[in-house]
Amino acid sequence: MSLARVTQFSISLDGYATGDVQSLEKPFGHAGMRLHTWMFSPQGVAGGRVQHGVDGALAAVGWDGSVGAEIMGRRKFGPQTGPWEDEEWRGWWGEDPPFHTPVFVLTHHPRPSLEMEGGTTFHFIDASPAEALEQARAAAGGLDVRIGGGPTTVREFLEADLVDVMHVVLVPIVLGRGVSLWEGLEGVESRFDIESVTSPSSGVTHLLFQRKGA
Amino acid sequence: MSLARVTQFSISLDGYATGDVQSLEKPFGHAGMRLHTWMFSPQGVAGGRVQHGVDGALAAVGWDGSVGAEIMGRRKFGPQTGPWEDEEWRGWWGEDPPFHTPVFVLTHHPRPSLEMEGGTTFHFIDASPAEALEQARAAAGGLDVRIGGGPTTVREFLEADLVDVMHVVLVPIVLGRGVSLWEGLEGVESRFDIESVTSPSSGVTHLLFQRKGA
């Protein structure tokens, strides 16, 4: 069965997954890299290699060939909003993005697909979460689909009850402002079994949500 | 040295320490007891006794005679706001409250002190956090002072940088609304060393904040 998965999704104690205000220079706004440094702890991914602790294992989940397509919001793809003024933008990740699969970018302003190096192709679609998941599943060749973020996109998929597995990383910082993962999701935990584990190396808490009965 | 401590302070994933809307029937609003059931897990406090797991140990912290006075907000004392219309109200806890120390209730509407059974006396004071802490310290006989809540009160003491030690319990539920602990506290973590531990018994994460250098 092809699961819809959220992996390595980092939030602050106050629930923000990205700061204010995103720009070309600051993809995560005032949060900077603070939500993501756990990944590069000594037991995470160091020197370009996955190390041998809890952080490393969980940083690698979903990057092992088990994901066959990705869905992301337009703000994860780039800092632009509204009609594309600059179709030269090819994502934050350079010519060989780390996805190596079809990537469906949700936007009200479709544009031609972008074929990158290494197997990544960005498709730009104006679709509901359910429609996007259907398209991504069709492209995933029986593998799982990653709901890659940002927070607004993950929230929309949770609202539509389309997430099977979710890995949230709780980073013990207070951002104060930004885009919240949890807004409008009162009671969402009731659909999941939740396991928690803290990392002595980075100090974060990994929350592993799995759909009940799945 | 007399420390200002926050103990067993439970919040949801979205940072709410109490729900909407507090009433006589619902002291925690729509949150009900969901933020507090961890305490009564098999390894917490069961059958009226502290059991032998992480939850039990942390549920007992500060209830061992090390706290000599408590400070709480008026909404922790009772559901009323504004001028006291009913001085018959003697708190949520019956005639023998669990504090067994002086308790300073912050209110803009002082009233005569209430001497309860078991050593608890409620004092009603109109004071800033710093002033309240000074009064509580004077009454604590060299012991620690508990900042007992609710969230608005804890937040005010954090804003004033008056908290030395804080035990926050992260309960994996999304309340959606209520009173937030973190609002306005951007960057507060920088003043603390933070240790995290999850409880396999209840599934909560205990976050232990200790003032750096303390």
Side-chain angles (χ1 to χ4, degrees):
Chain A
M1 182 190 166
S2 162
L3 298 173
R5 298 163 59 177
V6 176
T7 63
Q8 296 98 22
F9 198 77
S10 299
I11 62 171
S12 64
L13 283 175
D14 42 353
Y16 296 114
T18 188
D20 271 346
V21 176
Q22 190 193 44
S23 68
L24 184 58
E25 294 73 30
K26 296 188 172 182
F28 300 102
H30 82 291
M33 285 303 287
R34 286 183 286 164
L35 290 174
H36 305 285
T37 47
W38 68 269
M39 213 178 277
F40 307 104
S41 78
Q43 298 304 321
V45 180
R49 296 188 55 151
V50 175
Q51 301 299 319
H52 310 288
V54 171
D55 290 334
L58 287 166
V61 164
W63 301 93
D64 57 351
S66 60
V67 167
E70 169 132 355
I71 297 169
M72 65 174 62
R74 179 168 172 189
R75 299 284 283 178
K76 177 157 178 176
F77 178 72
Q80 306 91 342
T81 57
W84 296 94
E85 297 184 358
D86 174 12
E87 287 202 12
E88 297 301 298
W89 179 261
R90 296 166 69 81
W92 301 101
W93 304 276
E95 282 305 302
D96 183 9
F99 309 107
H100 313 301
T101 68
V103 175
F104 294 85
V105 179
L106 298 172
T107 170
H108 297 306
H109 304 278
R111 57 181 259 195
S113 295
L114 273 179
E115 194 168 335
M116 311 295 287
E117 292 169 21
T120 298
T121 303
F122 292 110
H123 301 289
F124 301 86
I125 62 174
D126 186 2
S128 71
E131 292 163 353
L133 183 56
E134 194 179 334
Q135 285 192 49
R137 281 224 165 95
L143 298 174
D144 293 342
V145 174
R146 182 188 295 109
I147 314 300
T152 306
T153 300
V154 174
R155 200 166 63 209
E156 286 169 356
F157 277 78
L158 286 168
E159 277 171 359
D161 194 13
L162 293 172
V163 174
D164 298 306
V165 180
M166 178 167 71
H167 168 204
V168 171
V169 185
L170 189 88
V171 181
I173 63 174
V174 178
L175 283 178
R177 55 210 153 92
V179 185
S180 165
L181 172 61
W182 302 120
E183 199 180 326
L185 292 178
E186 179 182 343
V188 69
E189 75 283 354
S190 63
R191 303 203 297 259
F192 295 94
D193 292 319
I194 307 173
E195 188 181 292
S196 302
V197 63
T198 51
S199 158
S201 180
S202 65
V204 304
T205 300
H206 299 280
L207 297 162
L208 302 160
F209 291 67
Q210 178 151 347
R211 184 194 289 281
K212 283 182 180 169
Chain B
M1 182 190 166
S2 162
L3 298 172
R5 298 163 60 177
V6 176
T7 63
Q8 296 98 25
F9 198 78
S10 300
I11 63 170
S12 64
L13 284 175
D14 42 354
Y16 296 114
T18 187
D20 270 346
V21 177
Q22 190 192 45
S23 67
L24 185 58
E25 295 73 29
K26 295 187 171 180
F28 300 102
H30 82 291
M33 285 302 288
R34 286 182 286 163
L35 289 174
H36 305 285
T37 47
W38 67 269
M39 213 177 278
F40 307 104
S41 78
Q43 298 304 321
V45 181
R49 297 188 56 151
V50 175
Q51 302 299 318
H52 310 288
V54 171
D55 290 333
L58 287 167
V61 163
W63 300 93
D64 57 351
S66 59
V67 167
E70 170 132 355
I71 297 169
M72 64 173 64
R74 179 168 172 190
R75 300 283 283 179
K76 177 157 177 176
F77 178 73
Q80 306 91 342
T81 56
W84 296 94
E85 297 184 357
D86 174 11
E87 287 203 11
E88 297 300 298
W89 179 262
R90 296 167 69 82
W92 302 101
W93 304 276
E95 281 306 301
D96 183 8
F99 309 106
H100 312 303
T101 68
V103 175
F104 295 85
V105 179
L106 298 172
T107 171
H108 298 305
H109 304 277
R111 55 182 262 196
S113 295
L114 274 179
E115 195 168 335
M116 311 295 287
E117 293 170 19
T120 298
T121 303
F122 292 109
H123 301 288
F124 301 87
I125 63 173
D126 187 2
S128 72
E131 292 163 352
L133 184 55
E134 195 180 334
Q135 285 193 50
R137 280 224 166 97
L143 298 173
D144 293 342
V145 174
R146 183 188 293 110
I147 314 300
T152 305
T153 299
V154 173
R155 201 167 62 210
E156 285 169 356
F157 278 77
L158 285 167
E159 277 170 359
D161 195 12
L162 294 172
V163 174
D164 298 305
V165 180
M166 178 166 73
H167 167 205
V168 171
V169 185
L170 189 88
V171 182
I173 63 175
V174 178
L175 282 178
R177 55 210 152 93
V179 185
S180 165
L181 172 61
W182 302 119
E183 200 179 327
L185 292 177
E186 178 182 344
V188 69
E189 75 282 355
S190 64
R191 303 203 297 260
F192 296 94
D193 293 318
I194 307 174
E195 188 182 292
S196 303
V197 63
T198 50
S199 159
S201 180
S202 65
V204 304
T205 299
H206 299 279
L207 296 163
L208 302 161
F209 292 66
Q210 178 152 346
R211 183 194 291 281
K212 282 181 181 169

